[in-house]
Amino acid sequence: QKEVEQDPGPLSVPEGAIVSLNCTYSNSAFQYFMWYRQYSRKGPELLMYTYSSGNKEDGRFTAQVDKSSKYISLFIRDSQPSDSATYLCAGAKAAGNKLTFGGGTRVLVKP
Amino acid sequence: DVKVTQSSRYLVKRTGEKVFLECVQDMDHENMFWYRQDPGLGLRLIYFSYDVKMKEKGDIPEGYSVSREKKERFSLILESASTNQTSMYLCATSRPIYGYTFGSGTRLTVV
């Protein structure tokens, strides 16, 4: 079993819809959680960085962590075609430490 | 902004060749990482380093080695390239609470 699991998708939504992405993880030592966005033929770029359980909002993006159920989520409001990408979740035991990634979810936002 | 530069975007090498992948960062980060990314398998950690001349094996170190002689440079070495090492290679740096910054990746094809 992988330590971090994601549905590979693709997840197809119309422009303006809310995109809801989820990951589950098995390592209870994870304290830091991140979401990355990766466009085709590019390296991943950091979207959201959270510590422990709770919510974090940044513009159209909201990240949620529920450590009791080992569940992390990313919501994208008012989705745009430019949000079409692969989204990767990741967990780490300590800040700056090695990350364990999920396999990524491909998202398609249709105009 | 942190910049992580990988020396080549695309590389084609022959089976048995010794291959060097270079990664340079410009922000004095202690931590550097090498991942490979394959469809369906996500990002997998090959090696990482928390300081100059220090290296630690990741999840899939077999067939690889690394070198970190200077803080800003982290090299991945394929001792004798094989076709199953055809992949996208991603270098990253990190500092506590700032998450990872990735390079653009090197797509290596071994023929």
Side-chain angles (χ1 to χ4, degrees):
Chain A
Q1 183 194 359
K2 290 183 179 178
E3 279 191 287
V4 181
E5 299 268 12
Q6 269 184 277
D7 187 320
L11 178 64
S12 184
V13 300
E15 183 175 355
I18 294 175
V19 176
S20 176
L21 300 167
N22 305 298
C23 286
T24 58
Y25 65 95
S26 58
N27 192 333
S28 56
F30 286 166
Q31 296 286 336
Y32 295 85
F33 303 92
M34 277 152 261
W35 283 96
Y36 285 82
R37 176 175 63 196
Q38 186 176 24
Y39 292 114
S40 182
R41 290 186 290 277
K42 299 278 189 181
E45 56 179 323
L46 181 65
L47 276 180
M48 301 289 281
Y49 183 113
T50 54
Y51 170 70
S52 195
S53 284
N55 293 359
K56 184 175 182 179
E57 190 172 319
D58 184 2
R60 296 185 297 115
F61 299 92
T62 300
Q64 290 182 351
V65 177
D66 181 349
K67 289 191 70 184
S68 63
S69 58
K70 297 190 179 68
Y71 200 80
I72 54 180
S73 303
L74 179 71
F75 301 96
I76 307 173
R77 290 182 297 280
D78 188 24
S79 58
Q80 305 295 312
S82 59
D83 294 324
S84 297
T86 296
Y87 290 80
L88 301 155
C89 62
K93 297 177 189 177
N97 208 340
K98 58 177 183 172
L99 286 176
T100 301
F101 285 87
T105 300
R106 191 163 149 246
V107 172
L108 299 170
V109 181
K110 296 186 175 180
Chain B
D1 278 354
V2 177
K3 192 165 182 184
V4 180
T5 303
Q6 294 184 232
S7 53
S8 306
R9 289 298 307 274
Y10 300 94
L11 215 50
V12 180
K13 295 292 182 181
R14 295 194 180 280
T15 302
E17 275 193 79
K18 191 169 186 176
V19 181
F20 293 86
L21 302 182
E22 304 288 343
C23 177
V24 178
Q25 52 112 348
D26 66 356
M27 283 298 290
D28 203 36
H29 285 186
E30 289 80 15
N31 305 336
M32 297 188 75
F33 307 83
W34 274 106
Y35 284 83
R36 64 177 282 178
Q37 186 175 29
D38 301 287
L41 297 175
L43 279 89
R44 294 178 291 167
L45 182 63
I46 304 171
Y47 265 97
F48 61 101
S49 170
Y50 290 152
D51 204 349
V52 177
K53 296 194 185 291
M54 175 268 178
K55 59 185 178 185
E56 292 274 352
K57 292 180 180 178
D59 300 319
I60 51 162
E62 295 79 20
Y64 303 95
S65 62
V66 290
S67 172
R68 193 162 181 203
E69 297 296 318
K70 294 184 178 180
K71 193 173 188 178
E72 67 271 18
R73 187 180 296 268
F74 192 35
S75 303
L76 180 69
I77 303 156
L78 285 65
E79 298 291 342
S80 177
S82 64
T83 54
N84 63 14
Q85 292 178 310
T86 292
S87 186
M88 169 75 119
Y89 289 87
L90 289 158
C91 174
T93 74
S94 78
R95 200 154 60 103
I97 80 168
Y98 289 105
Y100 275 29
T101 300
F102 281 90
S104 297
T106 296
R107 188 166 294 278
L108 173 68
T109 302
V110 182
V111 297

